[in-house]
Amino acid sequence: RGDGSDLVIFVDDVIDPVCRRVFRNIWGQIAQHNSEYFHSLAPHAPSNHLHNAGRATVALENTRRIMSDPLTAEALRQKYESNAAQIRGHLVQFPLDYLRNSALGSTL
């Protein structure tokens, strides 16, 4: 289903929680699910969806515009509260592709 509720953890997984299979199939799925959920709530936050500074700036401006409308901000808060149980633990994916197309070198 993609919501993380279909994960099955076996006794062997508890014995070796960092083996490759468990890392990919359990921790990786939970991290992906949590990251996608957080991105739906905060599209301006660093993620693999923002490949350059221009897109990051546009996403931040859109979020500021959305949050400046009290009705929209309240709807987003209610969405979070009603779906918060979908978040499993503190796992998220590190955004390796965030700003990948931007020159981040020093201008000195």
Side-chain angles (χ1 to χ4, degrees), residues 5-81:
S5 65
D6 54 348
L7 293 175
V8 176
I9 299 177
F10 297 100
V11 173
D12 290 344
D13 298 340
V14 177
I15 292 171
D16 189 5
V18 294
C19 75
R20 183 178 302 266
R21 179 179 53 81
V22 173
F23 184 80
R24 281 192 192 140
N25 297 338
I26 295 176
W27 309 135
Q29 285 182 12
I30 292 171
Q32 180 179 355
H33 169 74
N34 287 349
S35 296
E36 290 170 358
Y37 180 71
F38 287 129
H39 178 72
S40 74
L41 292 174
H44 64 280
S47 72
N48 287 328
H49 301 279
L50 303 173
H51 297 158
N52 60 53
R55 287 182 73 179
T57 301
V58 168
L60 181 57
E61 289 170 357
N62 287 341
T63 300
R64 285 183 179 150
R65 181 180 44 77
I66 289 168
M67 296 308 286
S68 68
D69 176 17
L71 293 176
T72 307
E74 178 63 18
L76 191 60
R77 185 187 66 76
Q78 288 176 358
K79 176 185 175 184
Y80 171 75
E81 287 180 354

